[in-house]
Amino acid sequence: MRIIGLDYGTKTVGVAVSDALGLTAQGVETITRKEENKLRQTLARIEAIIEEYELIAQYQVEEIVLGLPKNMNNTLGERAEACKDFADKLERRTGIPVVMWDERLSTVSAEHVLIESGVRRENRKAVIDKIAACVILQSYLDYIANNNEGEQ
């Protein structure tokens, strides 16, 4: 089983995928689009990534984790509503359940990872969304692992 993690932004979507055991998240790519509301190609690319992993790795993608950008006071704003709309479209298109996951500070965490890794400021923008998708997916995988420990 594999899980896809997404960091949905106004013009980009960071994509990460879990390993087959569901332990670690690896960055795949950053999908860009010219306009925020032009989602057809973005959805098609996500669908193609899912199909590639199912064909090449022969592991079914069973879930999509989409970062939900909550406000720091735990309320949902305009970006969160846009993410929910995107989740609905993604689930209809792929037939795979989409889990909304709190992504507060995921981009900040991704920025820290890149700084600590010595990535130059001008090069960070190209990969920050992919790293943020990894942070979102990894926190979800850790949550699953911690909550399933007593079931074994």
Side-chain angles (χ1 to χ4, degrees), residues 98-148:
V98 177
V99 174
M100 302 300 290
W101 191 253
D102 187 351
E103 70 162 36
R104 281 179 282 191
L105 302 176
S106 63
T107 302
V108 173
S109 296
E111 183 83 20
H112 288 301
V113 167
L114 293 170
I115 289 169
E116 290 174 12
S117 299
V119 177
R120 296 174 56 102
R121 181 186 313 254
E122 59 268 15
N123 297 334
R124 285 184 219 146
K125 188 174 182 179
V127 295
I128 190 121
D129 296 310
K130 178 171 63 172
I131 302 299
C134 284
V135 170
I136 292 164
L137 180 56
Q138 190 62 57
S139 70
Y140 181 73
L141 295 172
D142 292 346
Y143 172 81
I144 290 171
N146 290 331
N147 287 311
N148 288 337

Side-chain angles (χ1 to χ4, degrees), residues 2 4 28-29 44-59 61:
R2 292 208 188 246
I4 298 284
V28 176
E29 69 179 75
R45 181 62 192 136
I46 293 167
E47 193 171 39
I49 290 168
I50 291 168
E51 290 171 4
E52 288 170 22
Y53 272 91
E54 290 178 350
L55 283 173
I56 295 168
Q58 297 181 350
Y59 286 101
V61 173

Side-chain angles (χ1 to χ4, degrees), residues 3 14 16 19 44-45 67 77 84 86 90 92 110 120 124 145 152:
I3 301 172
D19 67 323
R45 181 62 192 136
K84 286 181 168 186
F86 181 70
L90 188 59
R92 272 195 311 272
R120 296 174 56 102
R124 285 184 219 146
Q152 295 178 359

Side-chain angles (χ1 to χ4, degrees), residues 77-91:
E78 190 177 314
R79 287 298 316 145
E81 294 304 323
C83 280
K84 286 181 168 186
D85 183 51
F86 181 70
D88 291 341
K89 290 175 181 169
L90 188 59
E91 195 164 328

